[in-house]
Amino acid sequence: MHLPEFYDAGDLIAVLTTQPLGRPLDYRAPEGGCCLGAFVEVPLGPRKVLGVVWGPGQGDYDPAKIRAAYRVLDTAPMREEMRAFLTRAADYTLTPLPAMLRLATRAPGLGDPPSMRKVYRRGTREPDKLTAARKKVLAALSEYGDLSFTLKELAEMAGVGTSVVKGLVAQGAVLEEDSPRDLPFARLNPALPAKELTADQAVAAERLAAAVASEQYGTTLLRGVTGSGKTEVYLEAVAAALRQGRQALVLLPEIALTAEFLTRVEARFGARPAEWHSGATMTERRRIWRMVAQGEAQLVIGARSALFLPYRNLGLIVVDEEHDTSYKQEEGVLYNARDMAVLRASICGAQVVLASATPSLESWVNAEAGKYAKLELTARFGPAVMPQMRAIDMRSEALPANRWVSKMLQTEVEARLARSEQAMLFINRRGYAPVTLCRACGHQIGCDDCDARMVEHRFLKRLVCHQCGESKPMPTVCPACQAEDRLAPVGPGVERLAEEAAALFPQARVATLSSDMYGSARALKAEIEEIAAGAADIVIGTQLVAKGHNFPNLTLVGVIDADLGLQGSDLRAAERTFQLMRQVAGRAGRAEKPGTALLQTYQPEHPVIRAILAGDEERFWAAEAGEREAAGVPPYGRMAGIILSGTDVGMVFDAGNALARQDAPLRAIGAQVFGPAPAPIARVRGRHRVRLLVKAAKSVPLQAALSRWVGQLPLKGDLRVAVDIDPQSFY
Ligand code: ADP
Ligand code: ZN
């Protein structure tokens, strides 16, 4: 069907809104008409809501009741490719389109006229009296020629109070003008000199640049050990996109979005890119959204949701640390940003670069199969070499109770302290102790609303549920038997390890890095930077230290419990442990000094631990791929998780059983259903959770079958269903 591009006033149009209504609704085009994709404001009941013109009206609604759209918003219409992307992403993830549209309109005030602010620049007149303070202001302005500044900026630059500037305005020596608040971003210059690349790097950079120049879709897996220069290489792909006048997007895990990274980008291109992340202000979000749509933001560096910005001419998407689990959104719309990046690029003819030292098995398999191109950087840049890795067999260490640092690890840390080098102790567990146990009755303190034990956070002086975030003060009597002073912490968390380190190494400066100990991501990043600059001798950290930050003086990493990730039934447990251990180990020996990584383990003969120590990645991936293929699980087969939840456990199970019985739509495609079973976390925020798992062959139309299947279930009471395609976490 051919869609008309423009609708005259009064024509029937279908408008998709962000309200949970399932499908676009019919309206009449507003006065002046509107084009396909236009952002419009429409009446919905008594409210005004935001919508996008999705096509001609369906005409299946009483024409007398159809209302007119109020107005077209002053913003670039949604492009055809964006509508296609949202539609296909919705189909893939089985998400209602309005929820997808919400992801694509996460900027406030889209309908507002561009707001103005006062700016100041040099006027033609001279002031009557030239005081020292006034001289400073005029000098600051003449330094920047014809640029204008806000009042605050100018006063700060000149080092004077704002009244001085105002005084100059009164005399006409400085001009006060209105200027739009949403300013374009400074132009980036891809012609500035890049670092001189090594032979390996140059080959990779040229291949990527050529791919970008082809203006066609393609995905490349860029693999290289930490520090091999992947960032330098993909910045050249960015340069290639900019030279063509196309936009580029670099996706990073939120925590890797550091000042250090932005400084590198600025050094390469001479100006700062747009930064899209959870800490961005509303004004900044709006500015980025608009400038991206107008093509006036050439490069966006962002967390996963930057994928849903309205690029005008996107030529390249880089997904750095592509294996990172934070790319999978686990709440609301369940999507994997890595997969959606590939989808988006394939629709708009862009290139994708997936960069990682330890790729996901999915990407590794796609590269092996020739679906993705593959580029490898084998050596670390400069003198840095991969750290030596060794296991510490904890069975022969005979540690006393409530101690976790082995004698051997202690000796190695002391050697680093003696040489004024940094050491890191890694444990992937936040808080002080994972379990609080009553020594009188054996009771373990759990969350009131979830089937999870509460984790003691001594730093916060509270017990916290890591499932729902609920917290309560640390009790002094056992909630079960009322015994006094018998509650004891069991097992280590990062805070407890810090306590042990302080006792073992009293002369050392110990810094603890755990996401919950800092008020904001910004504060945490600032702390990381100080530590990198030498503000600590021993760093105690959780998973977040594994991600993309340089600690040049760090030469030892001690992993307290290398076995931790291997427990549990997650099909990706081996892969995750392998990646995490390699990443953490990669923190050691980044500069001139060689590094060592020591893994404390009770099962040194475990195949995953052996593969990590041997550093034989190809063998690990091949073996892991073989097992998944034999089991018919991703990436060789497809899976979906269905989570049913509700406050009445009986009702939730009944619904799960009913669904499992009505499996005709699944049998039609040869898919199997497992369950219902209590979800691994069987209760969250007071809601009982039951899980069904669906396994299917790779080539079958799974989504269509799933929506027919789940669609049979009447949603009675507070029963809710969530479908998770390609589940990452199995909770
Ligand atoms: P990766 O992204 O693979 O971890 P980076 O690109 O961050 O690696 O490189 C690691 C360090 O080495 C960075 O400080 C980077 O600036 C430096 N580096 C890498 N390649 C070069 C090069 N060709 N010339 C100068 N410095 C380089
Ligand atoms: Zn809870």
Side-chain angles (χ1 to χ4, degrees), residues 577-621:
T577 302
F578 184 81
Q579 285 161 344
L580 186 59
M581 292 299 116
R582 301 271 305 171
Q583 293 260 317
V584 174
R587 297 297 113 205
R590 300 268 301 177
E592 275 72 41
K593 300 165 188 154
T596 302
L598 298 174
L599 276 55
Q600 297 193 149
T601 172
Y602 284 92
Q603 38 186 341
E605 66 293 329
H606 192 293
V608 174
I609 302 286
R610 278 175 37 196
I612 294 166
L613 295 174
D616 189 346
E617 293 184 45
E618 291 301 322
R619 230 180 58 206
F620 173 78
W621 294 123

Side-chain angles (χ1 to χ4, degrees), residues 691-703:
R691 185 187 65 178
L692 297 110
L693 270 182
V694 175
K695 223 172 96 177
K698 189 144 187 161
S699 53
V700 303
L702 178 62
Q703 276 86 346

Side-chain angles (χ1 to χ4, degrees), residues 178-307:
D178 287 319
S179 147
R181 200 176 279 280
D182 296 331
L183 293 175
F185 286 85
R187 300 296 297 173
L188 304 187
N189 183 1
L192 288 178
K195 294 209 171 101
E196 197 172 314
L197 299 181
T198 64
D200 255 18
Q201 293 173 344
V203 169
E206 272 159 33
R207 294 263 295 277
L208 291 181
V212 170
S214 76
E215 306 212 4
Q216 299 201 336
Y217 161 72
T219 296
T220 305
L221 176 60
L222 173 63
R223 210 178 112 188
V225 295
T226 319
S228 58
K230 293 184 295 300
T231 310
E232 300 297 337
V233 168
Y234 72 63
L235 286 181
E236 293 319 299
V238 171
L242 299 185
R243 276 195 293 271
Q244 283 184 304
R246 298 184 81 184
Q247 291 166 297
L249 163 65
V250 176
L251 290 178
L252 295 172
E254 177 92 33
I255 188 68
L257 241 168
T258 56
E260 182 206 21
F261 181 81
L262 291 161
T263 310
R264 276 175 78 176
V265 175
E266 191 174 354
R268 174 62 184 86
F269 299 115
R272 283 177 85 79
E275 278 170 68
W276 180 267
H277 56 86
S278 60
T281 63
M282 287 301 161
T283 324
E284 194 58 14
R285 277 174 182 264
R286 190 184 114 120
R287 174 184 178 215
I288 295 174
W289 198 95
R290 284 184 170 257
M291 291 309 138
V292 164
Q294 292 170 21
E296 314 241 28
Q298 297 160 284
L299 172 60
V300 178
I301 311 285
R304 65 184 173 222
S305 59
L307 202 54

Side-chain angles (χ1 to χ4, degrees), residues 63-271:
K65 289 192 185 151
I66 294 178
R67 299 164 76 181
Y70 290 125
R71 63 182 181 116
V72 176
L73 303 185
D74 177 24
T75 185
M78 182 178 281
R79 299 163 54 77
E80 159 98 54
E81 73 187 37
M82 186 68 169
R83 279 177 281 128
F85 173 54
L86 295 180
T87 305
R88 287 178 56 186
D91 289 347
Y92 187 85
T93 58
L94 289 179
T95 304
L97 256 180
M100 290 316 299
L101 182 62
R102 267 202 297 282
L103 284 179
T105 50
R106 292 224 309 219
L110 283 185
D112 302 350
S115 65
M116 306 297 271
R117 62 174 176 179
K118 299 263 183 257
V119 294
Y120 299 80
R121 65 184 175 87
R122 184 71 165 96
T124 44
R125 302 228 197 102
E126 292 304 320
D128 53 3
K129 225 169 52 216
L130 204 53
T131 63
R134 286 181 170 183
K135 258 192 201 154
K136 283 192 206 160
V137 173
L138 297 182
L141 283 174
S142 67
E143 191 176 329
Y144 288 94
D146 212 24
L147 289 183
S148 32
F149 302 90
T150 63
L151 185 59
K152 201 162 150 256
E153 281 167 353
L154 181 54
E156 266 169 24
M157 264 169 34
V160 302
T162 51
S163 58
V164 181
V165 179
K166 290 282 188 185
L168 286 166
V169 171
Q171 308 225 324
V174 169
L175 298 179
E176 184 183 77
E177 292 166 341
D178 287 319
S179 147
R181 200 176 279 280
D182 296 331
L183 293 175
F185 286 85
R187 300 296 297 173
L188 304 187
N189 183 1
L192 288 178
K195 294 209 171 101
E196 197 172 314
L197 299 181
T198 64
D200 255 18
Q201 293 173 344
V203 169
E206 272 159 33
R207 294 263 295 277
L208 291 181
V212 170
S214 76
E215 306 212 4
Q216 299 201 336
Y217 161 72
T219 296
T220 305
L221 176 60
L222 173 63
R223 210 178 112 188
V225 295
T226 319
S228 58
K230 293 184 295 300
T231 310
E232 300 297 337
V233 168
Y234 72 63
L235 286 181
E236 293 319 299
V238 171
L242 299 185
R243 276 195 293 271
Q244 283 184 304
R246 298 184 81 184
Q247 291 166 297
L249 163 65
V250 176
L251 290 178
L252 295 172
E254 177 92 33
I255 188 68
L257 241 168
T258 56
E260 182 206 21
F261 181 81
L262 291 161
T263 310
R264 276 175 78 176
V265 175
E266 191 174 354
R268 174 62 184 86
F269 299 115

Side-chain angles (χ1 to χ4, degrees), residues 447-450 452 454 465-470 685:
C447 174
D448 296 337
D449 299 320
C450 307
M454 295 208 85
C465 171
H466 283 187
Q467 218 51 58
C468 71
E470 202 54 63
R685 294 187 185 93

